[in-house]
Amino acid sequence: ERLTTAAPEVATRWRCVPRMPRPEYLSLTAGCDVVLDTPGYGGGANTALDAAAVGAPVVTWTGKYHRGRWQS
């Protein structure tokens, strides 16, 4: 709802999906135009490595600590 209010022009291009088995997740990641790695969620280690493994670009925000600098 926040995205729809803040940026209605892009809200329809976002998808939130439930947790899935790893092979399905990697297949989905490989088909993404971009992978968003949110700050505070885990810092990027798994997301960065999974995205790199399938050639998907990642967008993130540099964090203050090591965990937030994996993709900077």
Side-chain angles (χ1 to χ4, degrees):
E1 291 176 18
R2 284 177 42 193
L3 180 60
T4 302
T5 300
E9 65 282 359
V10 298
T12 59
R13 296 187 293 182
W14 289 64
R15 300 289 183 264
C16 292
V17 296
R19 187 176 196 97
M20 60 186 66
R22 185 163 177 76
E24 287 181 44
Y25 160 72
L26 290 175
S27 178
L28 178 67
T29 302
C32 290
D33 293 326
V34 67
V35 174
L36 300 177
D37 189 25
T38 58
Y41 176 69
N46 289 339
T47 303
L49 295 174
D50 291 341
V54 297
V58 179
V59 174
T60 191
W61 190 271
T62 302
K64 179 178 176 181
Y65 303 104
H66 178 260
R67 66 178 181 260
R69 298 184 180 275
W70 277 78
Q71 304 170 103
S72 300

